[in-house]
Amino acid sequence: MPFFPYFCIQYNEGLMKKGLLSVSLVGCFLMVAVGCRQESKHPTDLSHQFDSIVIDTLVRLMPDNDTAICTIHMNIKAAKGANADAINHRLIRSGCLSPDYLSLIEERMSMQQAVDTFVTLFIEDYRCFYPLVIHEENDSMKGILNYRVDTRVEQGRDDIYIYKVAVSQTFDTQSTDFTIVRNIDSATGKIVTLDDLLRKGSEKELRKLLTDRLHERRKDGGKETQAEDKRLIPLTRNVAIGEDRLTFIYVQGEIADRSQGEINIELPYSTLSKLMK
């Protein structure tokens, strides 16, 4: 995933044994909000199946610097009820939080422990790396980092939950936004991937369908197709398995100029029928 060029990822092997490292947090707020207990009539409303873990944190980079601060906002959905432990465990290990600190930790964690650990390691990296960045820029940077993660869950195909993670990071004037998607089998907790749906050897034909659909969108928008765009676009594994279609999510700059932002390409199952198992 092309993200987080500013951080040097470090892992303290004794973290889980010693508990969370002590960090100086200003205005730290942690709340577990209990979702609606009554089943919604809307098929895509899964609030009754998930709680929210919300964290708002502000930390100063250096005690004598009032401008260099890091703010972290996280709203993370955690499954509850049947198969909740399996679902949450698989999500924690799936790399849905970026940087993927949690795959380095062997101990089994609850979703709340995972979020707390992520925040701790994120702040460690901020304090480790950003003083070097600011120094190299001759103090022209203020060192303000805003990091935000919001998650939501939608009903997908059959018994699949679509777990969407929207990440936004701004450092001074530099901004990065992208979406990470995981598809969860609600009955088993397994992460469902594109390989579970498509027959072997269908990748090239799928890439052609995606490329043709992208060109159609550009023509509809009045944009000319450049020569280099005639090549088949790469196949992303960042896919939402919806009720009637697959949505392929390409991060900013992956298949087009960064100014175009994130690009979503939808293909209905009727178009994909020959490629699916």
Side-chain angles (χ1 to χ4, degrees):
M1 181 63 63
F3 173 66
F4 227 85
Y6 310 115
F7 283 86
C8 53
I9 299 178
Q10 297 178 336
Y11 171 55
N12 184 337
E13 295 181 352
L15 176 64
M16 299 309 296
K17 294 181 179 179
K18 298 179 180 178
L20 295 177
L21 297 177
S22 174
V23 293
S24 175
L25 302 179
V26 179
C28 178
F29 171 64
L30 171 64
M31 174 185 66
V32 178
V34 178
C36 176
R37 298 288 179 179
Q38 297 180 351
E39 195 164 321
S40 171
K41 295 180 180 180
H42 197 289
T44 60
D45 182 359
L46 298 173
S47 59
H48 61 289
Q49 298 284 2
F50 289 82
D51 284 336
S52 290
I53 299 174
V54 180
I55 289 183
D56 283 296
T57 297
L58 183 150
V59 60
R60 299 189 184 281
L61 179 59
M62 295 168 282
D64 57 347
N65 190 333
D66 292 333
T67 59
I69 60 173
C70 171
T71 64
I72 302 172
H73 169 83
M74 302 185 73
N75 187 336
I76 306 298
K77 298 298 182 185
K80 61 182 180 180
N83 298 319
D85 289 343
I87 291 172
N88 291 331
H89 177 69
R90 292 264 173 61
L91 284 172
I92 289 169
R93 302 300 183 191
S94 72
C96 66
L97 292 180
S98 181
D100 187 15
Y101 300 124
L102 301 179
S103 64
L104 302 173
I105 301 174
E106 295 182 358
E107 289 84 350
R108 195 178 184 97
M109 296 177 288
S110 68
M111 186 65 83
Q112 181 171 330
Q113 289 172 326
V115 173
D116 289 341
T117 300
F118 179 92
V119 170
T120 298
L121 295 174
F122 192 102
I123 293 172
E124 281 187 346
D125 273 351
Y126 175 68
R127 287 177 163 166
C128 165
F129 196 73
Y130 274 81
L132 301 177
V133 175
I134 295 172
H135 178 72
E136 290 176 359
E137 295 295 329
N138 297 320
D139 298 329
S140 61
M141 288 186 172
K142 294 182 180 179
I144 300 176
L145 172 65
N146 297 313
Y147 181 77
R148 184 182 184 95
V149 180
D150 289 291
T151 61
R152 69 179 187 272
V153 186
E154 301 173 358
Q155 183 65 57
R157 187 185 189 197
D158 299 329
D159 295 325
I160 291 175
Y161 293 153
I162 304 173
Y163 194 88
K164 292 186 176 181
V165 185
V167 181
S168 177
Q169 173 190 283
T170 302
F171 180 64
D172 284 351
T173 60
Q174 300 177 2
S175 179
T176 302
D177 301 275
F178 63 90
T179 304
I180 300 173
V181 174
R182 295 292 180 264
N183 302 281
I184 315 160
D185 186 327
S186 60
T188 64
K190 177 187 175 182
I191 301 295
V192 183
T193 67
L194 199 57
D195 292 335
D196 295 320
L197 301 179
L198 302 178
R199 61 176 175 79
K200 189 176 181 180
S202 61
E203 180 174 323
K204 185 175 181 179
E205 191 170 351
L206 178 56
R207 289 176 62 195
K208 186 178 186 307
L209 289 173
L210 289 167
T211 303
D212 290 344
R213 180 62 188 128
L214 179 62
H215 290 172
E216 290 173 5
R217 285 177 46 179
R218 288 177 174 172
K219 289 178 182 178
D220 292 341
K223 296 181 180 179
E224 295 182 1
T225 302
Q226 299 178 354
E228 58 268 28
D229 292 335
K230 294 180 181 180
R231 296 174 298 180
L232 296 182
I233 62 176
L235 181 60
T236 180
R237 300 291 169 177
N238 201 32
V239 181
I241 304 174
E243 292 181 290
D244 58 359
R245 69 193 64 200
L246 296 180
T247 302
F248 296 79
I249 303 173
Y250 290 90
V251 300
Q252 192 176 28
E254 188 173 2
I255 59 172
D257 187 86
R258 286 181 59 84
S259 63
Q260 297 187 35
E262 183 177 274
I263 295 177
N264 293 354
I265 303 177
E266 298 181 343
L267 293 177
Y269 293 127
S270 57
T271 302
L272 298 167
S273 58
K274 294 182 180 180
L275 306 184
M276 300 186 70
K277 293 178 180 178

mmCIF file of all heavy atoms in Angstrom, residues 18 25 27 34 47 85 106 120 132 136 145 178 187 206 216 219 228 232-233 238 242 249 258 267:
data_model
loop_
_atom_site.group_PDB
_atom_site.id
_atom_site.type_symbol
_atom_site.label_atom_id
_atom_site.label_comp_id
_atom_site.label_asym_id
_atom_site.label_seq_id
_atom_site.Cartn_x
_atom_site.Cartn_y
_atom_site.Cartn_z
ATOM 1 N N LYS A 18 4.693 -5.866 28.842
ATOM 2 C CA LYS A 18 4.802 -4.766 29.792
ATOM 3 C C LYS A 18 3.578 -3.872 29.809
ATOM 4 O O LYS A 18 3.473 -2.992 30.650
ATOM 5 C CB LYS A 18 6.030 -3.928 29.443
ATOM 6 C CG LYS A 18 7.337 -4.700 29.543
ATOM 7 C CD LYS A 18 8.504 -3.805 29.169
ATOM 8 C CE LYS A 18 9.827 -4.558 29.251
ATOM 9 N NZ LYS A 18 10.971 -3.709 28.852
ATOM 10 N N LEU A 25 -0.113 12.263 26.618
ATOM 11 C CA LEU A 25 -1.237 12.606 25.768
ATOM 12 C C LEU A 25 -1.974 13.799 26.364
ATOM 13 O O LEU A 25 -2.175 13.872 27.571
ATOM 14 C CB LEU A 25 -2.210 11.429 25.648
ATOM 15 C CG LEU A 25 -1.620 10.123 25.104
ATOM 16 C CD1 LEU A 25 -2.708 9.052 25.060
ATOM 17 C CD2 LEU A 25 -1.050 10.342 23.730
ATOM 18 N N GLY A 27 -5.478 15.760 26.160
ATOM 19 C CA GLY A 27 -6.866 15.691 25.690
ATOM 20 C C GLY A 27 -7.213 14.344 25.105
ATOM 21 O O GLY A 27 -7.724 14.280 23.990
ATOM 22 N N VAL A 34 -22.077 1.966 22.380
ATOM 23 C CA VAL A 34 -22.879 0.775 22.123
ATOM 24 C C VAL A 34 -23.859 1.080 21.000
ATOM 25 O O VAL A 34 -24.598 2.043 21.059
ATOM 26 C CB VAL A 34 -23.656 0.360 23.390
ATOM 27 C CG1 VAL A 34 -24.517 -0.852 23.087
ATOM 28 C CG2 VAL A 34 -22.685 0.076 24.520
ATOM 29 N N SER A 47 -25.564 -1.555 12.250
ATOM 30 C CA SER A 47 -25.194 -0.960 13.531
ATOM 31 C C SER A 47 -25.485 -1.899 14.695
ATOM 32 O O SER A 47 -24.829 -1.830 15.731
ATOM 33 C CB SER A 47 -25.930 0.370 13.736
ATOM 34 O OG SER A 47 -27.340 0.178 13.713
ATOM 35 N N ASP A 85 -15.335 -12.635 18.083
ATOM 36 C CA ASP A 85 -13.903 -12.813 18.338
ATOM 37 C C ASP A 85 -13.158 -13.187 17.067
ATOM 38 O O ASP A 85 -12.078 -12.655 16.787
ATOM 39 C CB ASP A 85 -13.674 -13.884 19.412
ATOM 40 C CG ASP A 85 -14.087 -13.423 20.795
ATOM 41 O OD1 ASP A 85 -14.246 -12.193 20.980
ATOM 42 O OD2 ASP A 85 -14.265 -14.275 21.690
ATOM 43 N N GLU A 106 2.476 -10.974 18.138
ATOM 44 C CA GLU A 106 1.973 -12.352 18.128
ATOM 45 C C GLU A 106 0.797 -12.555 19.074
ATOM 46 O O GLU A 106 -0.060 -13.395 18.820
ATOM 47 C CB GLU A 106 3.097 -13.317 18.497
ATOM 48 C CG GLU A 106 4.235 -13.341 17.473
ATOM 49 C CD GLU A 106 5.307 -14.341 17.850
ATOM 50 O OE1 GLU A 106 5.173 -14.977 18.923
ATOM 51 O OE2 GLU A 106 6.269 -14.485 17.075
ATOM 52 N N THR A 120 -0.385 3.928 20.324
ATOM 53 C CA THR A 120 0.885 4.031 21.031
ATOM 54 C C THR A 120 2.060 3.970 20.063
ATOM 55 O O THR A 120 2.984 4.800 20.128
ATOM 56 C CB THR A 120 1.014 2.903 22.069
ATOM 57 O OG1 THR A 120 -0.021 3.035 23.038
ATOM 58 C CG2 THR A 120 2.358 2.964 22.772
ATOM 59 N N LEU A 132 13.423 14.656 12.714
ATOM 60 C CA LEU A 132 14.419 14.595 11.638
ATOM 61 C C LEU A 132 13.909 15.292 10.393
ATOM 62 O O LEU A 132 14.662 16.009 9.717
ATOM 63 C CB LEU A 132 14.744 13.126 11.323
ATOM 64 C CG LEU A 132 15.295 12.286 12.474
ATOM 65 C CD1 LEU A 132 15.497 10.844 12.021
ATOM 66 C CD2 LEU A 132 16.606 12.867 12.975
ATOM 67 N N GLU A 136 15.665 18.584 8.716
ATOM 68 C CA GLU A 136 16.149 18.581 7.346
ATOM 69 C C GLU A 136 15.540 19.696 6.514
ATOM 70 O O GLU A 136 16.129 20.160 5.545
ATOM 71 C CB GLU A 136 15.854 17.226 6.696
ATOM 72 C CG GLU A 136 16.701 16.091 7.258
ATOM 73 C CD GLU A 136 16.322 14.748 6.662
ATOM 74 O OE1 GLU A 136 15.387 14.735 5.834
ATOM 75 O OE2 GLU A 136 16.954 13.741 7.014
ATOM 76 N N LEU A 145 0.754 17.177 12.300
ATOM 77 C CA LEU A 145 0.274 15.957 11.656
ATOM 78 C C LEU A 145 -1.138 15.662 12.133
ATOM 79 O O LEU A 145 -1.391 15.560 13.333
ATOM 80 C CB LEU A 145 1.191 14.774 12.001
ATOM 81 C CG LEU A 145 0.715 13.395 11.547
ATOM 82 C CD1 LEU A 145 0.676 13.321 10.022
ATOM 83 C CD2 LEU A 145 1.602 12.293 12.111
ATOM 84 N N PHE A 178 -7.026 7.597 1.401
ATOM 85 C CA PHE A 178 -7.299 6.358 0.693
ATOM 86 C C PHE A 178 -8.253 5.489 1.497
ATOM 87 O O PHE A 178 -8.519 5.736 2.673
ATOM 88 C CB PHE A 178 -6.003 5.594 0.370
ATOM 89 C CG PHE A 178 -5.232 5.143 1.571
ATOM 90 C CD1 PHE A 178 -5.467 3.911 2.154
ATOM 91 C CD2 PHE A 178 -4.252 5.957 2.123
ATOM 92 C CE1 PHE A 178 -4.749 3.487 3.262
ATOM 93 C CE2 PHE A 178 -3.526 5.543 3.230
ATOM 94 C CZ PHE A 178 -3.775 4.308 3.801
ATOM 95 N N ALA A 187 -20.325 -15.708 8.946
ATOM 96 C CA ALA A 187 -20.546 -16.994 9.599
ATOM 97 C C ALA A 187 -19.265 -17.605 10.148
ATOM 98 O O ALA A 187 -19.280 -18.297 11.164
ATOM 99 C CB ALA A 187 -21.199 -17.969 8.622
ATOM 100 N N LEU A 206 -10.268 -9.992 -16.738
ATOM 101 C CA LEU A 206 -10.805 -9.052 -15.757
ATOM 102 C C LEU A 206 -10.137 -7.693 -15.896
ATOM 103 O O LEU A 206 -10.804 -6.654 -15.821
ATOM 104 C CB LEU A 206 -10.606 -9.601 -14.344
ATOM 105 C CG LEU A 206 -11.069 -8.711 -13.194
ATOM 106 C CD1 LEU A 206 -12.539 -8.338 -13.343
ATOM 107 C CD2 LEU A 206 -10.836 -9.403 -11.848
ATOM 108 N N GLU A 216 -14.598 4.085 -20.687
ATOM 109 C CA GLU A 216 -15.976 4.527 -20.872
ATOM 110 C C GLU A 216 -16.289 5.705 -19.966
ATOM 111 O O GLU A 216 -16.932 6.680 -20.374
ATOM 112 C CB GLU A 216 -16.941 3.381 -20.584
ATOM 113 C CG GLU A 216 -16.925 2.269 -21.613
ATOM 114 C CD GLU A 216 -17.776 1.088 -21.190
ATOM 115 O OE1 GLU A 216 -18.450 1.203 -20.132
ATOM 116 O OE2 GLU A 216 -17.764 0.060 -21.880
ATOM 117 N N LYS A 219 -14.629 8.867 -21.305
ATOM 118 C CA LYS A 219 -15.326 9.416 -22.470
ATOM 119 C C LYS A 219 -16.620 10.097 -22.048
ATOM 120 O O LYS A 219 -16.983 11.162 -22.548
ATOM 121 C CB LYS A 219 -15.616 8.299 -23.470
ATOM 122 C CG LYS A 219 -14.377 7.776 -24.176
ATOM 123 C CD LYS A 219 -14.721 6.643 -25.127
ATOM 124 C CE LYS A 219 -13.461 6.100 -25.794
ATOM 125 N NZ LYS A 219 -13.767 4.959 -26.706
ATOM 126 N N GLU A 228 -1.007 6.126 -23.401
ATOM 127 C CA GLU A 228 -0.537 5.249 -22.341
ATOM 128 C C GLU A 228 -1.682 4.603 -21.564
ATOM 129 O O GLU A 228 -1.494 3.594 -20.886
ATOM 130 C CB GLU A 228 0.380 5.989 -21.367
ATOM 131 C CG GLU A 228 -0.250 7.200 -20.686
ATOM 132 C CD GLU A 228 -0.005 8.488 -21.438
ATOM 133 O OE1 GLU A 228 0.157 8.400 -22.674
ATOM 134 O OE2 GLU A 228 0.038 9.553 -20.806
ATOM 135 N N LEU A 232 -3.501 -2.273 -20.330
ATOM 136 C CA LEU A 232 -4.389 -2.818 -19.305
ATOM 137 C C LEU A 232 -3.960 -2.304 -17.937
ATOM 138 O O LEU A 232 -2.774 -2.328 -17.592
ATOM 139 C CB LEU A 232 -4.346 -4.351 -19.321
ATOM 140 C CG LEU A 232 -4.861 -5.038 -20.584
ATOM 141 C CD1 LEU A 232 -4.786 -6.550 -20.415
ATOM 142 C CD2 LEU A 232 -6.283 -4.605 -20.922
ATOM 143 N N ILE A 233 -4.930 -1.836 -17.170
ATOM 144 C CA ILE A 233 -4.609 -1.349 -15.836
ATOM 145 C C ILE A 233 -4.350 -2.541 -14.912
ATOM 146 O O ILE A 233 -4.857 -3.636 -15.147
ATOM 147 C CB ILE A 233 -5.740 -0.462 -15.262
ATOM 148 C CG1 ILE A 233 -7.033 -1.256 -15.112
ATOM 149 C CG2 ILE A 233 -5.958 0.754 -16.142
ATOM 150 C CD1 ILE A 233 -8.153 -0.471 -14.455
ATOM 151 N N ASN A 238 -7.938 -4.626 -3.653
ATOM 152 C CA ASN A 238 -8.748 -3.788 -2.765
ATOM 153 C C ASN A 238 -10.154 -3.704 -3.353
ATOM 154 O O ASN A 238 -10.485 -2.758 -4.073
ATOM 155 C CB ASN A 238 -8.099 -2.398 -2.653
ATOM 156 C CG ASN A 238 -8.533 -1.644 -1.417
ATOM 157 O OD1 ASN A 238 -8.812 -2.230 -0.364
ATOM 158 N ND2 ASN A 238 -8.599 -0.330 -1.527
ATOM 159 N N GLY A 242 -19.913 -6.444 -3.211
ATOM 160 C CA GLY A 242 -21.252 -5.937 -2.947
ATOM 161 C C GLY A 242 -22.347 -6.932 -3.265
ATOM 162 O O GLY A 242 -22.093 -8.049 -3.728
ATOM 163 N N ILE A 249 -11.235 -0.619 -5.905
ATOM 164 C CA ILE A 249 -10.848 0.684 -5.351
ATOM 165 C C ILE A 249 -9.351 0.900 -5.558
ATOM 166 O O ILE A 249 -8.519 0.166 -5.010
ATOM 167 C CB ILE A 249 -11.204 0.768 -3.861
ATOM 168 C CG1 ILE A 249 -12.704 0.522 -3.673
ATOM 169 C CG2 ILE A 249 -10.796 2.112 -3.273
ATOM 170 C CD1 ILE A 249 -13.146 0.426 -2.230
ATOM 171 N N ARG A 258 -2.433 11.844 -9.576
ATOM 172 C CA ARG A 258 -2.887 11.983 -8.198
ATOM 173 C C ARG A 258 -4.007 13.007 -8.048
ATOM 174 O O ARG A 258 -4.822 12.916 -7.138
ATOM 175 C CB ARG A 258 -1.711 12.376 -7.292
ATOM 176 C CG ARG A 258 -0.741 11.238 -7.008
ATOM 177 C CD ARG A 258 0.375 11.706 -6.088
ATOM 178 N NE ARG A 258 -0.123 12.205 -4.821
ATOM 179 C CZ ARG A 258 -0.411 11.449 -3.767
ATOM 180 N NH1 ARG A 258 -0.243 10.140 -3.832
ATOM 181 N NH2 ARG A 258 -0.851 11.992 -2.649
ATOM 182 N N LEU A 267 -18.096 -3.252 -11.454
ATOM 183 C CA LEU A 267 -18.460 -4.249 -12.456
ATOM 184 C C LEU A 267 -19.581 -5.110 -11.889
ATOM 185 O O LEU A 267 -19.394 -5.779 -10.866
ATOM 186 C CB LEU A 267 -17.263 -5.125 -12.819
ATOM 187 C CG LEU A 267 -16.096 -4.455 -13.562
ATOM 188 C CD1 LEU A 267 -14.970 -5.452 -13.779
ATOM 189 C CD2 LEU A 267 -16.552 -3.872 -14.892
#
